[in-house]
Amino acid sequence: MHFPISMAVPARFTGPVPESCNVVVIGAGVIGVMTGWYLAERGFRVTVCEKGRVAGEQSSRNWGWIRQQGRDPDELPIMVESLRLWQGLAQSLGNPFGFRQTGVLYLANREEQLGQYEGWMVHAAAQGLDTRLLGRRELAERLPGAADLWQGGLFTASDARAEPWLAVPALAAGAAERGVTILEDCAVRALDLEGGRVAGVTTERGRIRAPEVVLAGGAWSSLFARAHGVNLPQLSVLSSVAQTEPMPEILPGAAADDAFAFRRREDGGYTIAGGSEHDFFIGPDAFRHALKYRKAVKKDFLSTHYRWLAPRDYPDGWNTPRTWSKGAPTPFEAMWVLNPAPNLATLSRAAAAFGRAFPGVGRPKIRATWAGMIDTMPDVVPVIDRAPSVPGLTIATGMSGHGFGIGPGVGRVVADLVAGRPVGHDLTRFRLSRFTDGSEITLGPSL
């Protein structure tokens, strides 16, 4: 399959638009696909609508980490479940996407990071994880030939990796085999409301009647929600990623420090990125939600590159319409797939840092580069909730860069939320009303 996934890739899911179903899911990233999967398992007739291509945006462009380590404590129980689900999915589908439990390693450049790692061990113990603190000697044994750059580390052997651009399309194919109707080239323009509640959706290819809709539109979710009176303070940041040429194995899993992150790939190379370094495009929503993001901005100020003009037709672009007629093309049809240009300077710094850390291997040769837009929230945890002002609408967005690994678990939770069944987890932290009920915005002790 061609990567990055774009409109140049032929559509695989091109069936007719159904007149009706039980649930319409907006967005065929990992959250939307897995929500459809588990709803179908519960006997629902589900249609997943995707304006571009399955996994065309962040669900295929991420680092490919499936990690429990470092999660916000309220996300962690869902992530533990999600890892179990990944194990079952890989087994049932024949593992066409390289799921492997090869571990995740965090590398501490500074002493205070070791204290943060030690503090997070409380949450690891509460969930029975196999997470361990590593000293300098253990770290040197795990990374032979590495430069002596780190004070220690945090390692979870049960954490995993997979190739996201293979995984999510394979999950979509599996969902289709289980009865989910997936429609590419089918942007949802608007909700259809009757008496104030959801009665279906209008798509570019016609209307679908349905009493329930799940909004899992990633970076586009806030724009869609706002057009229906739902204030979702979501913004997006750009993450740049590179693929190296095949090279000797340094670590079979994934690792990160302040300067770079890397993951072993199935093709014998590594996926590398700039650690916490990212870009932020400033648009109208950046000003609208600025106060809610002040803590996140303070924490990440030095690792963020601010760009003063959001590109044309991006979700928060200055020219992007905030209202539209559902009888005419909408912003979702003006940008079928978000395919931003990577920050090559960020990737050059990451490659140089990799070379300094592993002098025996040296600076890696880059085969390909890409970028994705990460949908994020002010407290860096998602919204998973029913929208109280629009009965029949469920929101699952703002995964904040954590979505690939936790996707199957969130999909299962959202499916049961829609079905009116017990979800098995406390979703209080993920409620939409936390941004309007006077609650303090709290950045969790995630790493």
Side-chain angles (χ1 to χ4, degrees):
M1 182 182 292
H2 177 76
F3 181 80
I5 298 172
S6 70
M7 294 301 288
V9 176
R12 297 174 61 191
F13 304 96
T14 57
V17 176
E19 291 185 2
S20 66
C21 62
N22 300 125
V23 186
V24 171
V25 179
I26 301 172
V30 65
I31 304 301
V33 165
M34 295 314 301
T35 296
W37 178 301
Y38 291 113
L39 279 168
E41 279 194 350
R42 284 145 182 74
F44 287 78
R45 290 181 296 114
V46 187
T47 302
V48 178
C49 294
E50 169 55 51
K51 64 184 177 63
R53 295 289 179 266
V54 167
E57 299 189 0
Q58 185 57 19
S59 283
S60 68
R61 296 163 183 262
N62 60 81
W63 297 356
W65 294 28
I66 300 173
R67 65 173 177 89
Q68 304 158 104
Q69 180 168 295
R71 290 271 177 177
D72 184 281
D74 290 287
E75 280 188 351
L76 187 53
I78 302 176
M79 184 59 227
V80 171
E81 177 189 355
S82 194
L83 181 62
R84 292 196 300 268
L85 294 174
W86 272 110
Q87 292 168 334
L89 291 164
Q91 184 174 9
S92 66
L93 297 177
N95 196 17
F97 39 79
F99 172 83
R100 300 180 189 278
Q101 289 181 267
T102 47
V104 165
L105 174 63
Y106 284 178
L107 301 162
N109 297 92
R110 305 179 307 279
E111 283 289 343
E112 59 264 31
Q113 289 174 306
L114 290 178
Q116 293 170 352
Y117 295 172
E118 187 172 4
W120 193 84
M121 288 293 292
V122 174
H123 308 299
Q127 296 297 325
L129 301 189
D130 55 348
T131 307
R132 297 174 50 224
L133 286 168
L134 304 181
R136 281 181 178 269
R137 180 180 299 177
E138 289 178 292
L139 202 57
E141 292 171 354
R142 191 166 294 277
L143 295 172
D148 185 17
L149 301 177
W150 304 295
Q151 305 297 314
L154 187 71
F155 182 67
T156 303
S158 59
D159 281 353
R161 70 181 217 223
E163 301 299 341
W165 63 284
L166 295 175
V168 181
L171 294 172
E177 291 174 359
R178 287 157 177 80
V180 178
T181 298
I182 300 175
L183 301 173
E184 296 175 304
D185 295 326
C186 190
V188 174
R189 291 176 169 177
L191 300 176
D192 284 340
L193 304 176
E194 294 179 2
R197 70 157 293 121
V198 168
V201 297
T202 296
T203 80
E204 63 175 305
R205 294 168 57 188
R207 186 175 188 265
I208 305 173
R209 296 193 307 275
E212 297 285 344
V213 171
V214 175
L215 176 57
W220 299 92
S221 296
S222 178
L223 182 65
F224 186 92
R226 188 165 185 263
H228 296 86
V230 178
N231 182 24
L232 184 63
Q234 174 186 292
L235 298 174
S236 298
V237 297
L238 180 145
S239 175
S240 299
V241 193
Q243 170 193 4
T244 75
E245 296 284 353
M247 56 193 298
E249 183 174 278
I250 296 165
L251 187 74
D257 74 352
D258 287 345
F260 70 109
F262 64 95
R263 171 187 63 84
R264 187 67 168 173
R265 298 170 55 93
E266 288 294 283
D267 59 19
Y270 280 87
T271 292
I272 64 171
S276 60
E277 193 172 333
H278 54 261
D279 296 66
F280 178 65
F281 297 111
I282 295 176
D285 286 346
F287 290 96
R288 184 176 294 114
H289 304 311
L291 289 178
K292 290 183 172 62
Y293 278 86
R294 61 188 183 277
K295 291 184 179 179
V297 169
K298 182 178 179 181
K299 179 181 178 183
D300 294 335
F301 186 80
L302 295 179
S303 61
T304 303
H305 305 290
Y306 292 93
R307 301 193 186 183
W308 296 106
L309 186 64
R312 182 179 179 84
D313 295 327
Y314 273 42
D316 195 25
W318 287 96
N319 71 314
T320 301
R322 266 56 185 180
T323 60
W324 51 82
S325 167
K326 60 186 177 183
T330 66
F332 313 111
E333 294 145 89
M335 178 68 72
W336 298 106
V337 173
L338 268 174
N339 187 24
N343 187 327
L344 297 181
T346 292
L347 295 176
S348 179
R349 286 188 288 271
F354 188 103
R356 288 192 297 271
F358 303 105
V361 176
R363 181 171 179 144
K365 296 179 180 179
I366 302 301
R367 172 178 286 182
T369 62
W370 66 90
M373 299 299 292
I374 297 173
D375 49 311
T376 190
M377 302 303 297
D379 46 9
V380 204
V381 293
V383 170
I384 306 172
D385 199 4
R386 306 279 273 176
S389 62
V390 186
L393 176 63
T394 300
I395 298 172
T397 193
M399 298 298 141
S400 302
H402 312 159
F404 178 65
I406 206 171
V410 169
R412 199 281 304 162
V413 165
V414 174
D416 283 335
L417 189 61
V418 172
R421 296 169 47 150
V423 299
H425 299 289
D426 183 0
L427 302 184
T428 303
R429 175 95 155 109
F430 313 123
R431 71 195 188 283
L432 176 61
S433 64
R434 70 188 190 264
F435 302 115
T436 56
D437 62 9
S439 299
E440 182 179 358
I441 292 175
T442 304
L443 299 179
S446 57
L447 302 176

